[in-house]
Amino acid sequence: MKVEFYRHALDETDIANVVKVLRSVFLTTGPVTAEFERRFSDYSGMPHVVALNSCTSALQLALMGLGVGPGDEVITSAMTFIASATCIQHAGATPVLADVDPKTACLDPAAVEAAITPRTKAIIPVHLYGAMCDMRALRELADRHGLFIIEDCAHCIEGERDGVRPGQLSEAACYSFYATKNLACGEGGAMATRSEELARQVKLLSLHGMSKNAAGRYHGSYQHWDMLTLGWKCNLDDIHSALIVDQLARLDGLWARRREIYERYEKGLAQAAGVGRPQVVGKSAHHLYTLWVDPARRDHILHALQERGVGVAVNYRAIHLLSYFKETFGFKRGDFPRAEAIGDSTISVPFYPMLSDAEVDHVVSQVLAVTGS
Ligand SMILES: Cc1ncc(COP(=O)(O)O)c(C=O)c1O
């Protein structure tokens, strides 16, 4: 049996929605994107949503929209995907990394506090694997130091912790609709915020700083547009929006299936020798299912699973040990030991709603076999 690392959950409605767009006048940002923004606002409970071409853009533009830039420092996690840190550089500011809670792999508020300097302007918590960071502690910290919080919700649309959902205690929540995410359209993202002004700024920055988008220029009698600021090109088009506009209504059902799979994995691997898993606090969005194995055997186990037909990935190696970050910022092994320990031991296994119980059981049996349990 071969179990792919990921298979999408697009259905015939999503495909028909794309065809409808392809047969319409409007291919770029237009009515379907506007409808998606409305529905995502309803789902997330966030009053303002700007659909964008990626979470990376959302994070960068949220920072820029809040006025974070050259001379400023922004703190994020050493255990994340590189975009959580590179977005800070794209905004012109300096990324500062902090270590994580060894049980959850989420940003540790005490480590964030220790990294604050007079130049710190913002914190980017990453809700890793789908489980939220301790947003109450981070908000308290941010208020005490006068900092913005921009949440990296690439893994976490559906999560909740301590009665808090993404965006409720921050200036902005940034989402990804990348090919393998819980809501997926290939490439896409969004920024959600409680601030009308930030939403307006991000929208402006996402389309060259133009006062009108294509739909605004097309409909009604022609009116000249102006360029108000130097912007970027990060808008989401209607072709991509068509893939998620109805998929959103299935999000909770897809989550429920991942929850069943999570429980099946937990039960199946409960007796596995030397196989740890992150602790989940609150409701996880259940984006990735990650095993923590002996670092000395990680690559061997990874390859052995692959040879036995189980798709695998590593989410993630600690980012400060990647060449670019080492060379640019002088990071070295030992700087963030908890992120390093997780990054050296982690293996992600298939985790998506289209998995059958038989496939989950196959993954479990292969993990038990290769770890000698
Ligand atoms: C934690 C995290 N942040 C940010 C991103 C960037 O998302 P996007 O590919 O939509 O820019 C990803 C994508 O994998 C991610 O996993």
Side-chain angles (χ1 to χ4, degrees):
M1 182 187 280
K2 177 160 170 46
V3 186
E4 298 290 349
F5 181 70
Y6 179 81
R7 294 198 310 269
H8 68 67
L10 296 176
D11 73 6
E12 289 308 316
T13 310
D14 304 324
I15 294 166
N17 284 344
V18 173
V19 172
K20 223 186 292 171
V21 170
L22 296 180
R23 294 194 197 287
S24 78
V25 172
F26 234 81
L27 300 182
T28 184
T29 310
V32 184
T33 303
E35 179 60 20
F36 170 72
E37 288 175 340
R38 267 192 298 277
R39 292 186 191 180
F40 198 79
S41 168
D42 282 349
Y43 182 90
S44 61
M46 298 296 288
H48 307 284
V49 173
V50 183
L52 297 163
N53 61 358
S54 70
C55 182
T56 308
S57 310
L59 291 162
Q60 177 199 340
L61 298 189
L63 286 167
M64 296 181 83
L66 289 164
V68 177
D72 297 334
E73 291 176 356
V74 179
I75 301 171
T76 193
S77 175
M79 173 39 58
T80 183
F81 181 60
I82 49 177
S84 315
T86 56
C87 66
I88 299 165
Q89 288 186 281
H90 292 320
T94 304
V96 171
L97 301 182
D99 215 340
V100 295
D101 178 323
K103 292 203 186 76
T104 63
C106 282
L107 197 53
D108 173 10
V112 172
E113 182 142 36
I116 292 172
T117 75
R119 294 181 1 161
T120 308
K121 283 285 171 352
I123 306 167
I124 302 184
V126 183
H127 304 318
L128 201 71
Y129 315 136
M132 285 183 70
C133 298
D134 184 347
M135 287 303 296
R136 288 192 186 275
L138 289 169
R139 183 72 265 173
E140 187 273 325
L141 185 66
D143 286 346
R144 232 172 338 106
H145 293 272
L147 308 177
F148 299 125
I149 301 182
I150 296 160
E151 290 169 81
D152 182 336
C153 302
H155 297 184
C156 186
I157 305 174
E158 311 94 323
E160 183 172 332
R161 176 173 172 172
D162 306 323
V164 180
R165 293 180 68 197
Q168 287 183 337
L169 291 186
S170 65
E171 276 58 46
C174 299
Y175 302 89
S176 174
F177 311 133
Y178 173 72
T180 58
K181 296 297 191 261
N182 294 355
L183 189 67
C185 67
E187 301 289 350
M191 190 235 30
T193 176
R194 293 169 293 147
S195 160
E196 191 175 354
E197 174 55 21
L198 180 61
R200 204 184 58 76
Q201 278 297 329
V202 167
K203 200 149 225 170
L204 191 65
L205 290 169
S206 75
L207 196 71
H208 305 294
M210 289 167 78
S211 58
K212 280 182 186 299
N213 69 12
R217 300 194 300 275
Y218 180 77
H219 296 295
S221 74
Y222 190 89
Q223 285 183 335
H224 292 297
W225 53 268
D226 194 9
M227 178 175 159
L228 304 176
T229 188
L230 181 63
W232 299 69
K233 185 65 167 71
C234 310
N235 52 311
L236 188 70
D237 63 57
D238 272 15
I239 302 172
H240 285 87
S241 296
L243 285 170
I244 44 180
V245 70
D246 282 325
Q247 195 185 134
L248 187 57
R250 305 198 304 277
L251 193 63
D252 288 340
L254 297 172
W255 177 88
R257 175 60 191 148
R258 285 197 309 281
R259 175 77 201 177
E260 281 174 7
I261 295 167
Y262 169 81
E263 282 165 3
R264 204 170 180 95
Y265 272 145
E266 288 289 294
K267 198 161 156 231
L269 295 171
Q271 308 307 326
V275 179
R277 270 106 53 212
Q279 191 184 77
V280 169
V281 185
K283 178 190 173 188
S284 174
H286 288 309
H287 174 56
L288 291 168
Y289 192 88
T290 291
L291 314 173
W292 292 344
V293 301
D294 176 0
R297 297 193 63 217
R298 193 267 303 275
D299 288 359
H300 164 75
I301 294 171
L302 185 76
H303 292 130
L305 285 172
Q306 225 176 5
E307 277 158 22
R308 288 161 172 259
V310 174
V312 287
V314 171
N315 306 103
Y316 302 91
R317 292 187 295 156
I319 62 170
H320 67 285
L321 298 181
L322 302 176
S323 299
Y324 172 79
F325 287 102
K326 280 202 291 199
E327 285 158 18
T328 309
F329 300 103
F331 291 130
K332 57 188 183 321
R333 191 166 269 280
D335 285 349
F336 307 103
R338 289 174 265 159
E340 290 166 18
I342 293 167
D344 291 346
S345 62
T346 194
I347 299 175
S348 299
V349 294
F351 190 46
Y352 47 91
M354 308 308 277
L355 279 174
S356 67
D357 286 351
E359 286 175 316
V360 175
D361 293 346
H362 179 72
V363 174
V364 168
S365 66
Q366 297 313 309
V367 171
L368 294 176
V370 300
T371 56
S373 300

